[in-house]
Amino acid sequence: MNKQALINTAQALVADDKGLLAMDESIPTCNKRLAKLGISQNEDARRVWRELIVSTSGLGEYISGAILHDETVHQRKKDGTPIIKALTDVGIIPGIKADGGAHDMAGHSGEKITEGLDGLRARLDEYVQLGVRFAKWRAVIALSEGIPSRACIKANAHALARYAALCQEAGLVPIVEPEVLMEGDHTLAQCFEVTEEVLHVVFNQLYTQGVMLEGVILKPNMVLPGLDCSIQETPDEVADATVTCLLRTVPAAVPGIAFLSGGQSGELASIRLNAMNQRFKSRLPWALTFSFARAIQQPAMGIWSGQDARVKAAQQALLQRARCNRAARRGEYSAAMEVASS
Ligand code: 13P
């Protein structure tokens, strides 16, 4: 394992106030989003959408790394340029979704375990040959009556740590993503409690498996009330809770924490990330940045709606969300940035 190369990659992913763009939706999820807009759902439609993203001029000013799906790492732009090359040409580091998806967990109704460890070593080696430099593995933790169970948290944390160790052996920086879901009517306090426990168990497992924390990026949820909870805290309250939870659980050796958006609107995700950096940035041991999928892509996809004539407008919308999130990373985002662009 080349420790310094891993550290360099991890640091590059959080350098210059940039963040990550997740564009690794599974085929069914990507198809669902295309179908909502009346776009046909096939390999070429997914390629066209993802070509639109990677061809957005100026994206590399705000985005350090892009997480791709296995289908995309093998695809080319219409002009024949491999998608991976299109990214590296503009200084964006290519990454890969390495997990095999969240599946029903035996004996634990309503809970999921992420699969994909079998054969992972060989798959990671293939990705390295293609020029990929980091990977992502998402575990999902649902919150409801009697859930999550100890078994679900522990099994997912164990899988995350084994994946992370395999990544580092292959020379890839692991993005470790334990997502406590927003769905439900749970309170912010309940999300805090579960997120705190999950992160403790994840870092314990990373330690047990000998994962080098300087070469890891954590991708957690923000600490939020459930979508159906009647009390929705202010951005400052969310920032307080999230930063308190992370300070209690994430070792200072980790170079960066890049949040998932989890179904928040693009604006709300920027507002909350901004509140964290504005209030706490100078006191934090790690960078606090973004690794959003929906909160960056959704407005752009809606504008595009599969129409060639709207590609430029969609790319402007994508760039706008990327720009707002870099400002949020600096604690310099304001609502005026939204008005200026509309
Ligand atoms: P969202 O930002 O849409 O939650 O997606 C992030 C992600 O990569 C989930 O694995």
Side-chain angles (χ1 to χ4, degrees):
M1 174 168 63
N2 183 340
K3 289 188 178 181
Q4 195 54 51
L6 287 169
I7 292 170
N8 292 347
T9 302
Q11 286 178 349
L13 287 171
V14 297
D16 301 328
D17 293 325
K18 295 182 193 178
L20 303 171
L21 169 61
M23 47 183 289
D24 61 331
E25 298 82 5
S26 66
I27 290 173
T29 300
C30 190
N31 284 348
K32 210 163 32 177
R33 292 179 189 164
L34 293 172
K36 257 195 194 155
L37 298 166
I39 305 165
S40 52
Q41 301 114 59
N42 53 49
E43 183 174 345
D44 199 51
R46 294 188 294 274
R47 188 196 62 74
V48 170
W49 167 241
R50 286 161 170 163
E51 172 167 348
L52 179 155
I53 296 176
V54 303
S55 308
T56 299
S57 175
L59 197 62
E61 276 181 53
Y62 311 108
I63 300 296
S64 55
I67 312 171
L68 304 173
H69 186 272
D70 177 75
E71 178 178 80
T72 317
V73 292
H74 297 104
Q75 285 176 327
R76 293 169 181 268
K77 288 174 46 177
K78 205 169 171 199
D79 68 6
T81 313
I83 296 278
I84 287 191
K85 183 170 184 318
L87 288 169
T88 51
D89 282 351
V90 295
I92 298 178
I93 304 172
I96 183 76
K97 170 188 171 70
D99 65 68
H103 298 263
D104 289 343
M105 189 169 165
H108 292 82
S109 175
E111 299 195 284
K112 303 271 185 196
I113 176 72
T114 300
E115 296 181 356
L117 288 171
D118 286 352
L120 183 59
R121 176 180 271 131
R123 285 196 289 123
L124 293 179
D125 285 344
E126 280 171 33
Y127 291 134
V128 169
Q129 298 308 318
L130 288 168
V132 166
R133 289 176 51 204
F134 71 101
K136 181 192 100 173
W137 180 289
R138 173 175 178 252
V140 294
I141 310 288
L143 219 162
S144 80
E145 201 62 39
I147 286 178
S149 64
R150 265 269 149 85
C152 175
I153 294 175
K154 201 153 181 200
N156 275 296
H158 176 80
L160 274 167
R162 286 185 55 201
Y163 136 85
L166 282 163
C167 281
Q168 291 194 334
E169 179 190 88
L172 297 170
V173 167
I175 307 272
V176 171
E177 180 179 8
E179 174 176 4
V180 177
L181 296 172
M182 281 169 71
E183 282 74 21
D185 61 0
H186 55 269
T187 61
L188 175 139
Q190 288 169 314
C191 178
F192 186 109
E193 194 181 321
V194 170
T195 304
E196 186 178 25
E197 180 176 356
V198 166
L199 292 177
H200 272 307
V201 178
V202 165
F203 279 99
N204 183 277
Q205 288 289 324
L206 291 172
Y207 172 72
T208 304
Q209 299 296 329
V211 174
M212 180 186 59
L213 295 185
E214 291 82 355
V216 163
I217 303 290
L218 177 70
K219 175 164 173 166
N221 51 285
M222 296 182 189
V223 174
L224 301 172
L227 284 170
D228 300 326
C229 180
S230 57
I231 302 168
Q232 294 288 318
E233 279 77 1
T234 64
D236 281 357
E237 288 167 333
V238 165
D240 276 359
T242 304
V243 168
T244 302
C245 185
L246 295 171
L247 281 171
R248 287 184 186 174
T249 51
V250 184
V254 171
I257 298 175
F259 293 104
L260 58 96
S261 59
Q264 303 172 69
S265 72
E267 277 188 52
L268 199 49
S270 299
I271 290 169
R272 287 166 166 164
L273 178 63
N274 186 65
M276 290 181 222
N277 280 311
Q278 206 170 52
R279 294 159 62 84
F280 301 105
K281 187 176 180 168
S282 62
R283 290 183 270 152
L284 300 177
W286 7 253
L288 273 192
T289 188
F290 57 93
S291 177
F292 300 154
R294 282 164 286 182
I296 292 183
Q297 291 186 49
Q298 282 305 79
M301 194 185 240
I303 290 170
W304 172 58
S305 289
Q307 310 283 314
D308 285 350
R310 301 199 198 145
V311 165
K312 283 271 169 293
Q315 289 176 327
Q316 283 313 308
L318 194 77
L319 216 49
Q320 160 69 1
R321 290 267 45 90
R323 190 185 296 119
C324 286
N325 286 315
R326 189 183 65 172
R329 214 201 122 167
R330 291 176 166 161
E332 292 172 0
Y333 168 84
S334 72
M337 287 188 72
E338 305 290 354
V339 179
S341 74
S342 59

